[in-house]
Amino acid sequence: MPRNTHRAVHHYRPHVITVPPAQVVADGRRLMRPGGAYGLAVAFFGLLFLLGVVGFILRLSGGTEHRAGWAYFAATIAFILSTFQAAPVVAVAGRLAKGHWRRPVARALEMCSLAGLVSVLMVIPAALVLPPTFGRPSLYFDSPLGIPLVWNLVILGALFLAGLGLVFLSARPDRAMVEASEGDLSGAGAWPGTTRQWRVLEKGMTLLSAFYLMAYVGAHTVFSTDFVMSQVPGWHSAIFPALHGIDGLQAGCATAILVMALVRRFGRLEAYISVDPFWGVSKLMLALTLLWMYFHYAEFLTLWYGRTPREIAVLTLLYGGPYLGLFIVEFLFVWLIPFIMLLIFPVRRSIGGNVVVALSILFGLLLDRIRLYSAAFSVEDVFEHMLETVPGPYIPDLVDIMILAGGISGAVLVYLLAVRLVPLLALWEVRQALLLSRAIPYLRTEATVVAKPE
């Protein structure tokens, strides 16, 4: 065998967790008692969140008649929905597919769903700004039950509750182990770990995972239709809600990579989180990057080849005219740069390279949400048959920036506060990994053998 080929076979070794079980529990207890840097982070994001609340009060004092002023408010909700609340889908998909690599990072990703509390609270004033659904195309067909506030609260609330259930159910054994290690046996009494309890836990996690996936799809469908498409006269698309959800899944993978990198670095979990989860998520992120191009091309193609005045107006509003520059920058950061980088094998199999790709995607997604919601909320007469006049670009003011930064910081703050209640490391899943996996020699390298008790 040539020298270079021989080296290529040996340069990767599978990661197998070899931490003693007692140390796993000790690390879980340590993560629930973070140090001084944690307090600084809470104070920083708490201050930004308070600035966001001040921005909301200032915007509310100006009234709700001028809908364009609420564009960044809605864009903030969409960004949280497409990042924090999309990241658990990675862990959920890994659980349903019985993926082994997701065990150490599953809890850290599932806890991102708790940020849905911010989006649920923010959607109440945002929905009240929307014009009446009577007399314009919407999901509700002039039904007396067509109240966007109710349906958005229902679907976003269901998504949040499903995520909360995942975190609560998954954390029960871990909290019992941590409390028992500290001498408090009340938690161990509530969770003795009987066979029936473990069966209920496994089945419950599977059902909640499936429900979270369904609620995620429904949330993007309802929210994007009510807050974007139905506000643009003449825009009728069966592709856009799916496009909105695919964008969110791509950004969810990017958020998952960023969360895993931060937890690994600041939680000192290098012994648990190797390059394997990053490698696994990067493959999914590459596929979703290709889907991003497919869905955007399909949406653009429909409008371009229709060429009716109604479709030309929508095309000009979304992709040309006032937001052309923003779309070009978004295209570079969401698709071109990630696509080129993810084609490079060493980038996909590295932590630093995946973090750079993730930051690029998240920045591009933020521009996408600003573009879409600014364009939709800038339309003055939503009851027209078609868009007669393409509005100019909406220029944000200081209040918009405060709302955007405060809403995102509020989501981060919820995550940080949850760290004190739930171990970031899924202790029982890691201990399962200790029992179910080991490395064995295979030809000229090593391979990981994973038992499948299911």
Side-chain angles (χ1 to χ4, degrees):
M1 178 179 292
R3 182 183 298 272
N4 291 339
T5 305
H6 181 74
R7 287 179 180 175
V9 172
H10 283 273
H11 75 293
Y12 174 72
R13 293 289 185 273
H15 177 77
V16 177
I17 300 174
T18 57
V19 180
Q23 184 61 41
V24 175
V25 179
D27 286 333
R29 185 172 63 249
R30 172 178 60 83
L31 291 171
M32 295 180 68
R33 309 290 185 269
Y38 170 83
L40 292 176
V42 170
F44 175 74
F45 288 106
L47 178 60
L48 288 180
F49 175 66
L50 289 178
L51 287 176
V53 174
V54 172
F56 166 69
I57 295 174
L58 291 175
R59 181 63 73 214
L60 191 62
S61 64
T64 59
E65 293 80 11
H66 184 54
R67 289 187 301 109
W70 292 85
Y72 275 66
F73 195 87
T76 302
I77 303 173
F79 184 78
I80 295 173
L81 179 62
S82 303
T83 52
F84 289 92
Q85 294 184 268
V89 175
V90 176
V92 162
R95 173 172 287 107
L96 294 177
K98 303 189 185 302
H100 180 70
W101 57 265
R102 52 93 193 162
R103 292 184 184 276
V105 299
R107 176 72 48 70
L109 299 185
E110 289 165 354
M111 287 173 62
C112 291
S113 64
L114 302 180
L117 176 64
V118 178
S119 63
V120 169
L121 295 177
M122 290 183 68
V123 82
I124 298 174
L128 294 176
V129 176
L130 293 177
T133 58
F134 288 93
R136 65 183 178 95
S138 70
L139 284 172
Y140 313 108
F141 300 99
D142 286 343
S143 168
L145 299 178
I147 305 175
L149 172 60
V150 173
W151 294 110
N152 279 275
L153 269 180
V154 167
I155 192 64
L156 289 178
L159 184 64
F160 168 68
L161 290 177
L164 182 64
L166 278 171
V167 175
F168 173 78
L169 191 59
S170 174
R172 286 199 66 192
D174 292 351
R175 287 185 58 85
M177 282 189 284
V178 170
E179 291 172 3
S181 67
E182 294 176 341
D184 183 5
L185 300 181
S186 59
W191 182 269
T194 63
T195 302
R196 184 173 181 271
Q197 281 183 315
W198 283 110
R199 286 177 179 171
V200 171
L201 176 68
E202 292 285 354
K203 297 296 183 183
M205 293 294 291
T206 301
L207 290 174
L208 283 173
S209 297
F211 186 76
Y212 192 91
L213 280 175
M214 292 188 293
Y216 174 83
V217 174
H220 275 276
T221 301
V222 174
F223 188 84
S224 64
T225 304
D226 281 341
F227 285 85
V228 182
M229 191 165 59
S230 67
Q231 295 197 79
V232 180
W235 187 12
H236 310 294
S237 173
I239 299 174
F240 177 73
L243 180 152
H244 199 276
I246 290 295
D247 289 354
L249 288 177
Q250 184 201 28
C253 289
T255 306
I257 285 176
L258 198 58
V259 168
M260 291 188 299
L262 291 173
V263 169
R264 182 179 187 270
R265 169 68 178 81
F266 293 101
R268 303 194 302 276
L269 298 179
E270 291 83 357
Y272 302 91
I273 305 175
S274 68
V275 73
D276 291 345
F278 296 89
W279 193 1
V281 176
S282 70
K283 299 172 188 176
L284 181 59
M285 191 160 58
L286 175 58
L288 290 168
T289 300
L290 294 173
L291 279 176
W292 185 95
M293 172 54 74
Y294 172 79
F295 276 91
H296 276 267
Y297 179 71
E299 176 71 11
F300 178 86
L301 197 67
T302 304
L303 297 171
W304 178 261
Y305 277 98
R307 305 293 289 179
T308 64
R310 172 181 62 83
E311 291 168 319
I312 291 296
V314 174
L315 190 66
T316 303
L317 175 66
L318 298 178
Y319 295 101
Y323 297 101
L324 176 61
L326 201 60
F327 177 73
I328 292 175
V329 177
E330 170 199 336
F331 174 81
L332 292 175
F333 281 92
V334 174
W335 190 82
L336 188 61
I337 294 174
F339 177 67
I340 293 175
M341 292 188 67
L342 290 174
L343 286 179
I344 304 172
F345 181 71
V347 173
R348 292 202 310 273
R349 210 195 55 202
S350 68
I351 296 176
N354 277 306
V355 169
V356 172
V357 174
L359 291 174
S360 174
I361 290 174
L362 291 176
F363 176 70
L365 179 90
L366 181 60
L367 297 182
D368 175 79
R369 295 310 185 235
I370 290 174
R371 174 180 65 90
L372 289 173
Y373 289 83
S374 295
F377 274 73
S378 297
V379 177
E380 294 183 1
D381 190 356
V382 300
F383 298 97
E384 295 178 350
H385 176 69
M386 60 172 285
L387 189 62
E388 299 289 349
T389 304
V390 176
Y394 175 74
I395 307 300
D397 55 18
L398 179 60
V399 174
D400 291 318
I401 303 302
M402 291 170 62
I403 290 173
L404 182 64
I408 297 173
S409 298
V412 177
L413 183 63
V414 170
Y415 189 95
L416 290 175
L417 295 178
V419 168
R420 299 296 300 268
L421 303 176
V422 179
L424 273 173
L425 192 65
L427 306 183
W428 65 272
E429 297 212 57
V430 170
R431 296 184 74 170
Q432 275 189 345
L434 293 174
L435 297 173
L436 300 178
S437 63
R438 67 186 181 97
I440 62 170
Y442 180 73
L443 299 179
R444 293 175 180 267
T445 182
E446 290 182 351
T448 303
V449 177
V450 181
K452 296 290 185 180
E454 298 90 349

